[in-house]
Amino acid sequence: VQLVESGGGSVQPGGSLRLSCAVSSFTYSNFAMAWFRQIPGHDREAVAAIDTDGTTKYADSVKGRFTISRDGSPDNARNTLYLQMNSVKPEDTAMYYCAAGRVSWWLIFSASEYNHWGQGTQVTVSS
């Protein structure tokens, strides 16, 4: 299983950014996927998640601004996970990670339940 993030960078407050996570060697019909973020000295926090049936969940801090989505067919071993970030704020600054795992819905925001992680991509929001 391989996860490779891209799309991070610097953006001004109020701007937009789209993160991508290229997925290989597993099908999302069996794996939940999520975006987490982390700033130094803090725990990794869930931003958004998508279950095997396409159901999504968002942290309150990003609800209405961020959108998680994926493309590819459920049984295709190569897919892409996205995080569209709109109306970004300075507090969105963090390292963003995509994750995949066989995770139950009620644990979908629990980082410890995921056993596949990307290397991370930095997002910096400042004027």
Side-chain angles (χ1 to χ4, degrees), residues 66-126:
F66 291 9
T67 302
I68 188 171
S69 63
R70 63 193 181 198
D71 66 8
S73 63
D75 298 319
N76 190 344
R78 298 183 71 88
N79 300 282
T80 305
L81 179 74
Y82 300 100
L83 184 69
Q84 178 66 43
M85 307 169 62
N86 297 330
S87 302
V88 296
K89 304 175 181 180
E91 51 263 44
D92 294 322
T93 296
M95 184 72 78
Y96 283 72
Y97 299 89
C98 65
R102 297 181 184 270
V103 182
S104 300
W105 174 254
W106 56 89
L107 294 173
I108 206 165
F109 265 18
S110 177
S112 62
E113 296 295 316
Y114 291 85
N115 52 355
H116 303 289
W117 292 87
Q119 82 287 353
T121 186
Q122 177 68 37
V123 172
T124 302
V125 183
S126 70

Side-chain angles (χ1 to χ4, degrees), residues 29-48:
S29 61
N30 296 319
F31 285 77
M33 298 195 70
W35 288 97
F36 288 79
R37 65 187 180 188
Q38 189 172 25
I39 58 177
H42 290 75
D43 292 336
R44 199 166 290 189
E45 68 167 354
V47 175

